[in-house]
Amino acid sequence: MRRNTNILAHVTAFVTAAVWGTTFISTKVLILNGITPVQIFTLRFALAYMLIVALSLAFPSMVGHQGRFRWFADSWMDEMLMLALGVTGGSAYFFTENEALRFGTATNVSLIVCSCPLFTTILFRLFVKGTRLSTAQAIGAILAFVGMVAVVLNGHFVLRLSPLGDSLAFCACLCWAVYSLLMKYVAGRYSAFFITRKVFFYGLLTILPYYLYDPHVPDVSMLLNPTLLFNLLFLGIVASLVCFVVWNWALGQLGAMVVTNYVYVNPITTIIFAAWILNEKITPYFIMGSLMILVGLYLSNRKK
């Protein structure tokens, strides 16, 4: 039974990372139609939060904390951890990543943000006692990282430095690494639904100060456009609600160092969908890099 659960968790993490790789397309469609990145984040998290609250109230025994609906965690310390998760996995992560794209190149941002498994490993080595990698796992992690670089570059070896953009991308990478580390202290003690609900709530709460600087919100008539509505529903329901719940569940089953490695899959699906929808070119470097990522994931996720 445990083995089957682990297999399901691996598959879940892989599919979730693949789905997140496609969100680039939906986000780009919305931005091209005049919706800002912060507005997109607010709308998708607000939709996801309303739905997850409704599910938690309707089925508390299935999706609540300890079989019942609760607004708060068991202690103030845990509630502060939930706040930190909402910031690092929600508002701060999405804000810094999206702002990085304004000041830096998409290639640089992708390379830096998708390097978060390496930073997660470093944080675990620093703060979690007894964290070690076998030789095969270390080789796998390096192979997956090199493959990710090959996929993101996709045959174009021109990188332009942008101090502000690259710094923001590094902040986003660090945010996700910290999010993965903090999950270690709540996963298993709280349900994935409860944790995800708190992440959405505190993510929304901590993004609100931005609207003091830019109070504009998109018109309702714009949001009812079928194309925009479809992309918002995809981002809110699939990429946020479903993906965050199953990702947090996988973190609880396998641990952050294993699950976070699947972030390397993200650029593969991004480029596949970009080639399909935006007619971007797939090169042999992409194919070679994708194979390296898959082999690296297999090696890095093997038991010691």
Side-chain angles (χ1 to χ4, degrees):
M1 179 65 75
R2 179 62 187 172
R3 183 173 181 274
N4 290 338
T5 301
N6 285 347
I7 292 173
L8 179 60
H10 279 289
V11 173
T12 296
F14 181 91
V15 173
T16 301
V19 171
W20 277 339
T22 69
T23 59
F24 163 79
I25 307 297
S26 292
T27 300
K28 188 166 186 176
V29 169
L30 295 172
I31 289 174
L32 290 175
N33 281 274
I35 305 178
T36 68
V38 171
Q39 291 170 352
I40 294 170
F41 165 77
T42 305
L43 289 169
R44 65 184 283 188
F45 261 46
L47 175 59
Y49 180 69
M50 288 187 292
L51 289 174
I52 202 169
V53 167
L55 286 171
S56 299
L57 289 170
F59 308 101
S61 61
M62 294 177 58
V63 302
H65 169 46
Q66 296 176 348
R68 66 187 190 280
F69 181 86
R70 290 188 58 182
W71 285 110
F72 299 104
D74 292 335
S75 66
W76 281 108
M77 182 64 72
D78 285 353
E79 194 66 26
M80 291 301 100
L81 280 173
M82 299 297 175
L83 169 61
L85 287 169
V87 172
T88 56
S91 56
Y93 171 77
F94 283 98
F95 177 78
T96 52
E97 181 186 51
N98 291 329
E99 288 298 304
L101 289 169
R102 287 182 56 196
F103 300 103
T105 65
T107 300
N108 286 33
V109 173
S110 296
L111 281 174
I112 296 170
V113 172
C114 289
S115 301
C116 73
L118 287 181
F119 289 94
T120 301
T121 300
I122 292 170
L123 287 180
F124 268 72
R125 290 295 300 270
L126 289 174
F127 296 106
V128 180
K129 190 175 180 180
T131 301
R132 297 185 181 182
L133 294 176
S134 67
T135 301
Q137 289 174 319
I139 292 172
I142 294 171
L143 190 63
F145 175 77
V146 173
M148 181 273 297
V149 173
V151 167
V152 171
L153 293 178
N154 200 22
H156 304 288
F157 299 100
V158 179
L159 293 175
R160 289 178 301 209
L161 294 179
S162 170
L164 180 56
D166 294 347
S167 297
L168 287 167
F170 176 76
C171 289
C173 174
L174 193 58
C175 279
W176 195 256
V178 172
Y179 175 83
S180 301
L181 175 65
L182 294 177
M183 278 294 297
K184 176 179 175 60
Y185 301 102
V186 295
R189 296 195 295 118
Y190 295 91
S191 71
F193 261 87
F194 181 83
I195 295 170
T196 305
R197 176 162 59 85
K198 304 301 285 188
V199 169
F200 291 155
F201 173 75
Y202 284 118
L204 284 169
L205 186 66
T206 53
I207 202 64
L208 291 180
Y210 176 85
Y211 288 95
L212 297 175
Y213 164 75
D214 183 7
H216 298 94
V217 294
D219 294 332
V220 175
S221 59
M222 178 190 299
L223 300 179
L224 294 179
N225 177 291
T227 299
L228 302 189
L229 183 60
F230 170 80
N231 284 284
L232 277 174
L233 290 175
F234 169 73
L235 290 174
I237 298 174
V238 179
S240 295
L241 175 59
V242 176
C243 284
F244 264 86
V245 168
V246 297
W247 182 265
N248 289 338
W249 173 79
L251 283 170
Q253 298 297 316
L254 301 174
M257 289 183 62
V258 172
V259 174
T260 307
N261 279 329
Y262 284 103
V263 170
Y264 290 134
V265 175
N266 194 299
I268 296 178
T269 49
T270 297
I271 291 180
I272 289 174
F273 274 79
W276 176 34
I277 297 175
L278 304 177
N279 296 317
E280 294 189 8
K281 185 179 179 182
I282 289 181
T283 70
Y285 296 99
F286 169 80
I287 297 173
M288 178 185 67
S290 298
L291 291 174
M292 292 173 68
I293 289 173
L294 295 176
V295 173
L297 286 174
Y298 171 74
L299 292 174
S300 61
N301 289 337
R302 288 176 62 188
K303 291 184 178 180
K304 298 180 183 179

